[in-house]
């Protein structure tokens, strides 16, 4: 099951820190991060890749982007 991290309305570095704290607490989980701006999308994606996560993007309604972050080698 994926852990949902809703960062809509937050600016960097908050979305990155929320993801990193969650990944540190439970590194084997899959995470879904909701962002609503390009800087957060880019920065969370970069942080996830740097920590061994694969990143899949999905455009949602009203400018929201869903980032599916899966530890490399895992199937979500």
């Amino acid at each position: 099951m994926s852990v949902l991290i809703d960062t809509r309305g937050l600016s960097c570095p908050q979305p990155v820190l929320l993801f990193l704290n969650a990944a540190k607490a439970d590194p084997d989980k899959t995470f879904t991060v909701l962002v609503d701006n390009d800087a957060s999308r880019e920065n969370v994606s970069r942080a996830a890749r740097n920590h061994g996560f694969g990143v899949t993007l999905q455009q949602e309604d009203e400018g929201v982007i869903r980032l599916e972050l899966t530890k490399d080698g895992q199937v979500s």
Side-chain angles (χ1 to χ4, degrees):
M1 177 171 270
S2 182
V3 175
L4 178 64
I5 304 170
D6 187 350
T7 69
R8 292 175 290 182
L10 301 177
S11 58
C12 279
Q14 290 173 309
V16 173
L17 294 174
L18 288 171
F19 162 67
L20 291 176
N21 287 336
K24 183 178 179 180
D26 211 341
D28 295 325
K29 290 282 188 182
T30 297
F31 299 92
T32 299
V33 181
L34 301 177
V35 299
D36 61 1
N37 62 73
D38 289 336
S40 293
R41 175 186 50 80
E42 292 173 14
N43 293 335
V44 172
S45 295
R46 184 179 310 110
R49 287 186 185 105
N50 287 340
H51 285 83
F53 287 83
V55 179
T56 303
L57 304 174
Q58 181 178 354
Q59 185 70 42
E60 300 282 313
D61 293 333
E62 300 178 21
V64 175
I65 302 165
R66 176 181 297 266
L67 305 173
E68 297 291 340
L69 310 176
T70 306
K71 201 66 158 170
D72 286 345
Q74 290 182 344
V75 177
S76 56

